[in-house]
Amino acid sequence: MFDGRRWVVTAGPTYEPIDPVRFIGNFSSGKMGYALAAALAEQGADVQLISGPTCLQPPAGVERIAVMTAREMLNACQEAVEKARGLIMAAAVADFRPQTAAAQKVKKQPGQAVWTLELVPNPDILQALACRKRPDQIFIGFSLETHDGEHYALEKLRRKKLDAIVLNHPYEKGGIGADDNEVTVLYPDGGRHFISYRPKQEAARAIVAELARRFSSE
Ligand code: C5P
């Protein structure tokens, strides 16, 4: 299911501009998504890595498409997913963006005590893609929460109509920005596969091996 097949992986944060010099973002480093792209390429997949801003180099043999905002990521995913066997959404997409991005740098006013930003929701990329998903395609999401991780991961699995969701846990150990991670892959039928704490490259290989075990007969 990987050899010669197109897989799309998203990674990193999105940056949502406030003005030409400021943005709303998050602490995602992109390491997990880049490690997954590398692990899929090791299995012979033709990987497109749709990446928000990161300091990372694309893995060997992986095509990187650089994006900045959630809406750019959605557009890139819509195009890339057409020909794909699977999609792994490891990106930490910003849930909200400033309603308008100012054309010029917003100046602070003398004595200004508060700056209120109006935020509007970004599109949910997985949910937007779900309605055009073909039966032969596999869509995998990621979930990271500070509390009640499994409860929220299962809710996202159902709402976003995913084939599996990778739950990062616990928040204090690994996860966003860290070099190591501990995850559980959860399936809609209640199946689960725990991957103990290890470097993200190893965690990525274990996730890819688990996906092969679960889906290779489909
Ligand atoms: O809802 P939450 O952001 O926690 O869901 C996590 C999963 O949904 C991740 O796979 C993330 O990449 C994806 N996501 C998305 N579009 C968004 C927000 C998150 O596809 N706007």
Side-chain angles (χ1 to χ4, degrees):
M1 72 179 223
F2 300 123
D3 201 24
R5 307 298 301 271
R6 165 73 52 85
W7 277 77
V8 178
V9 180
T10 67
T14 64
Y15 284 2
E16 311 295 332
I18 296 169
D19 67 18
V21 296
R22 304 186 181 95
F23 61 87
I24 292 179
N26 58 67
F27 292 121
S28 170
S29 64
K31 285 174 197 159
M32 196 64 227
Y34 276 60
L36 281 161
L40 289 165
E42 279 171 14
Q43 297 304 312
D46 167 17
V47 184
Q48 276 186 332
L49 176 61
I50 298 175
S51 175
T54 75
C55 306
L56 304 173
Q57 292 299 316
V62 166
E63 179 194 353
R64 179 168 61 179
I65 299 164
V67 297
M68 187 171 72
T69 66
R71 286 181 297 173
E72 288 172 13
M73 187 171 278
L74 171 63
N75 289 339
C77 285
Q78 274 168 333
E79 204 178 315
V81 140
E82 291 270 306
K83 296 195 180 91
R85 171 81 166 100
L87 165 71
I88 304 184
M89 280 287 308
V93 185
D95 291 320
F96 289 89
R97 65 176 186 275
Q99 186 157 34
T100 49
Q104 293 180 326
K105 183 181 172 189
V106 178
K107 300 293 292 174
K108 62 177 175 287
Q109 303 304 319
Q112 182 179 0
V114 178
W115 177 11
T116 306
L117 279 174
E118 296 276 342
L119 303 180
V120 294
N122 267 328
D124 190 295
I125 298 173
L126 279 171
Q127 255 177 281
L129 296 174
C131 51
R132 281 163 53 191
K133 180 176 180 242
R134 295 189 308 268
D136 64 302
Q137 291 184 312
I138 297 164
F139 285 5
I140 313 289
F142 265 72
S143 184
L144 185 141
E145 299 288 346
T146 53
H147 60 283
D148 293 338
E150 187 157 333
H151 167 78
Y152 288 115
L154 290 171
E155 184 273 320
K156 289 174 213 178
L157 179 77
R158 283 189 278 273
R159 177 164 43 89
K160 303 189 190 215
K161 299 188 175 66
L162 300 172
D163 298 291
I165 194 156
V166 182
L167 167 66
N168 286 275
H169 60 92
Y171 185 65
E172 300 76 30
K173 198 174 170 189
I176 211 153
D179 288 328
D180 306 286
N181 213 359
E182 181 172 283
V183 303
T184 302
V185 186
L186 301 170
Y187 297 102
D189 64 1
R192 54 171 55 230
H193 179 78
F194 176 66
I195 296 168
S196 60
Y197 196 57
R198 62 192 76 183
K200 281 184 173 169
Q201 286 90 341
E202 294 306 320
R205 287 193 185 107
I207 292 168
V208 167
E210 167 59 15
L211 297 180
R213 187 196 63 76
R214 172 88 184 194
F215 297 110
S216 55
S217 58
E218 288 183 13

